[in-house]
Amino acid sequence: AQSVTQPDIHITVSEGASLELRCNYSYGATPYLFWYVQSPGQGLQLLLKYFSGDTLVQGIKGFEAEFKRSQSSFNLRKPSVHWSDAAEYFCAVVDMTTDSWGKLQFGAGTQVVVTP
Amino acid sequence: NAGVTQTPKFRVLKTGQSMTLLCAQDMNHEYMYWYRQDPGMGLRLIHYSVGEGTTAKGEVPDGYNVSRLKKQNFLLGLESAAPSQTSVYFCASHTGLAGVYTDTQYFGPGTRLTVL
């Protein structure tokens, strides 16, 4: 069965510093991977997604993610964090079995706190 | 274009009471999903629908029922609420069909339910 692991439950970062959120997946073939962000009291918003091609994917709000097949990872990065980036971030993979109907498997999430 | 909306935003129930959560989307999407979000567990799929008149069980369906009588609406029912159903509930929709693996799921703002 597929699984998604986000090893860091909580990360604190200073405003202006760089941010990297880790995501590891367990899946036999090349997965379709997503990063979502959830601001306090809000729903989930898609940051970026990867299906194939260039392994470095650009998203909204200055985020990027790199797919590394050898490490089964899809880590999210931002060079310079803004206070508004304080949120919870979820990595997700699509279940690729034929009867999955596009269901998403989510990681447990990483809470990001931004300090002045 | 409102996207995905959820009603109500907040609700407090007593154990044994029933209620229905409404999800509506105006994007003419085929697929709709209900998730619950609990701390440290990410989002888990409760039920989903791949078209009007269809429903199917997800990862955690017990204690919930759903109906999709109209394409734009997906209802989640709790017949006899239990404290274990205290959670934040999210609805999502997806174009489905040819884009089942690659298209984005769009999320509603969530319903915070407390069962006393």
Side-chain angles (χ1 to χ4, degrees):
Chain A
Q2 294 182 94
S3 67
V4 179
T5 303
Q6 294 181 245
D8 304 305
I9 296 172
H10 188 275
I11 285 180
T12 299
V13 60
S14 298
E15 191 168 14
S18 63
L19 174 68
E20 181 167 13
L21 304 182
R22 295 184 290 164
C23 173
N24 294 99
Y25 64 88
S26 171
Y27 188 62
T30 299
Y32 290 173
L33 295 155
F34 302 78
W35 273 101
Y36 281 87
V37 61
Q38 182 183 27
S39 298
Q42 303 296 314
L44 277 71
Q45 180 183 22
L46 181 72
L47 284 175
L48 46 79
K49 55 188 177 183
Y50 172 78
F51 303 136
S52 64
D54 192 346
T55 56
L56 186 62
V57 180
Q58 301 297 320
I60 63 171
K61 304 187 179 187
F63 284 91
E64 66 178 25
E66 185 171 14
F67 171 66
K68 292 186 178 180
R69 184 192 306 276
S70 61
Q71 299 178 18
S72 297
S73 69
F74 187 55
N75 294 348
L76 182 72
R77 300 194 293 253
K78 185 168 184 177
S80 178
V81 169
H82 187 263
W83 64 266
S84 60
D85 294 321
E88 190 158 20
Y89 293 79
F90 293 95
C91 182
V93 61
V94 164
D95 184 339
M96 297 286 286
T97 54
T98 54
D99 61 347
S100 75
W101 307 109
K103 290 180 286 186
L104 285 170
Q105 182 82 30
F106 283 90
T110 298
Q111 185 71 46
V112 173
V113 172
V114 180
T115 59
Chain B
N1 187 332
V4 180
T5 58
Q6 293 183 231
T7 309
K9 290 185 169 51
F10 304 93
R11 186 72 184 268
V12 178
L13 291 178
K14 294 181 180 178
T15 297
Q17 288 185 318
S18 64
M19 78 162 294
T20 299
L21 282 67
L22 170 64
C23 176
Q25 54 94 4
D26 61 2
M27 297 175 282
N28 200 34
H29 284 175
E30 290 292 333
Y31 296 1
M32 296 184 75
Y33 310 82
W34 274 108
Y35 296 88
R36 60 176 289 172
Q37 182 183 23
D38 302 293
M41 304 188 74
L43 279 76
R44 293 179 292 167
L45 184 65
I46 305 171
H47 286 282
Y48 62 101
S49 167
V50 298
E52 182 178 313
T54 75
T55 63
K57 294 180 180 180
E59 181 184 354
V60 289
D62 293 342
Y64 304 95
N65 57 74
V66 287
S67 64
R68 185 130 180 242
L69 301 179
K70 294 183 178 181
K71 186 177 182 178
Q72 63 268 34
N73 296 336
F74 194 28
L75 279 63
L76 178 71
L78 288 74
E79 290 188 347
S80 180
S84 61
Q85 294 177 304
T86 294
S87 187
V88 182
Y89 292 85
F90 287 98
C91 176
S93 72
H94 183 285
T95 56
L97 305 175
V100 66
Y101 298 125
T102 56
D103 284 344
T104 302
Q105 282 193 27
Y106 293 89
F107 285 80
T111 294
R112 185 173 295 274
L113 175 66
T114 301
V115 182
L116 302 175

